């Protein structure tokens, strides 16, 4: 068996692309890759990509002359976790507060790593965590 080597992209479903872009690009600081109004806005995150979609737009089968990406979509809040070095989490918490982003939870896991949880404008759960959260010694 050939195991994947990492997560290349993650998708969240949103109801307002302007709000998603303001949050992920403006507040979080991710670089926008591309945007198609009414459908999606994609962001670079390190070596990976965060895809934000309007769910109803992704449920439509592609036109015959379009890329053959199968329909997909989800309803309700999703979750994404961004890796943030432990020594930068205090500064991140202050940055979020300065942008009026409420911290839903801020705690240390039983094995030590810290996670900070917020909600994006669509209600998705957004976590910022010390990468040690999933280290092989956890």
């Amino acid at each position: 068996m050939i195991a994947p080597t990492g997560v290349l992209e993650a998708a969240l479903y949103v109801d307002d692309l302007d709000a998603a872009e303001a949050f992920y690009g403006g507040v979080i600081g991710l670089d926008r890759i591309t945007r198609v109004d009414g459908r999606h806005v994609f962001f670079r995150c390190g070596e990976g990509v965060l895809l934000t979609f309007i769910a109803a737009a992704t449920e439509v089968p592609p036109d015959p002359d379009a890329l053959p990406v199968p329909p997909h979509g989800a309803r309700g809040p999703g979750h994404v976790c961004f890796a943030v070095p432990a020594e930068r989490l205090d500064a991140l918490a202050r940055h979020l507060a300065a942008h009026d982003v409420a911290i839903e939870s801020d705690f240390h896991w039983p094995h030590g790593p810290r996670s900070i949880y917020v909600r994006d404008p669509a209600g998705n759960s957004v976590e910022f965590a010390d990468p040690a959260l999933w280290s092989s010694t956890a």
Side-chain angles (χ1 to χ4, degrees), residues 40-95:
H40 67 254
V41 60
F42 299 163
F43 302 93
R44 173 84 43 215
C45 182
E47 293 184 23
V49 175
L50 175 66
L51 311 171
T52 61
F53 290 106
I54 301 291
T58 63
E59 294 169 344
V60 177
D63 291 330
D65 58 339
L67 294 172
V69 176
H72 54 85
R75 298 285 187 249
H79 173 73
V80 66
C81 179
F82 294 108
V84 177
E87 64 275 6
R88 291 181 41 208
L89 285 168
D90 284 334
L92 173 69
R94 289 189 300 274
H95 175 79

Side-chain angles (χ1 to χ4, degrees), residues 1-137:
M1 180 158 160
I2 300 173
T5 59
V7 176
L8 183 61
E9 60 189 32
L12 290 176
Y13 296 89
V14 302
D15 50 12
D16 182 332
L17 295 178
D18 291 334
E21 190 163 359
F23 181 78
Y24 290 104
V27 176
I28 305 306
L30 301 181
D31 291 329
R32 184 177 86 172
I33 298 170
T34 188
R35 177 177 170 148
V36 173
D37 286 333
R39 187 174 193 284
H40 67 254
V41 60
F42 299 163
F43 302 93
R44 173 84 43 215
C45 182
E47 293 184 23
V49 175
L50 175 66
L51 311 171
T52 61
F53 290 106
I54 301 291
T58 63
E59 294 169 344
V60 177
D63 291 330
D65 58 339
L67 294 172
V69 176
H72 54 85
R75 298 285 187 249
H79 173 73
V80 66
C81 179
F82 294 108
V84 177
E87 64 275 6
R88 291 181 41 208
L89 285 168
D90 284 334
L92 173 69
R94 289 189 300 274
H95 175 79
L96 293 168
H99 285 84
D100 297 320
V101 176
I103 293 176
E104 188 171 29
S105 185
D106 182 347
F107 67 96
H108 290 268
W109 292 89
H111 62 290
R114 179 180 177 192
S115 286
I116 297 173
Y117 287 82
V118 302
R119 295 280 170 175
D120 76 3
N124 291 299
S125 175
V126 179
E127 178 182 3
F128 303 93
D130 175 348
L133 179 64
W134 290 106
S135 69
S136 60
T137 59

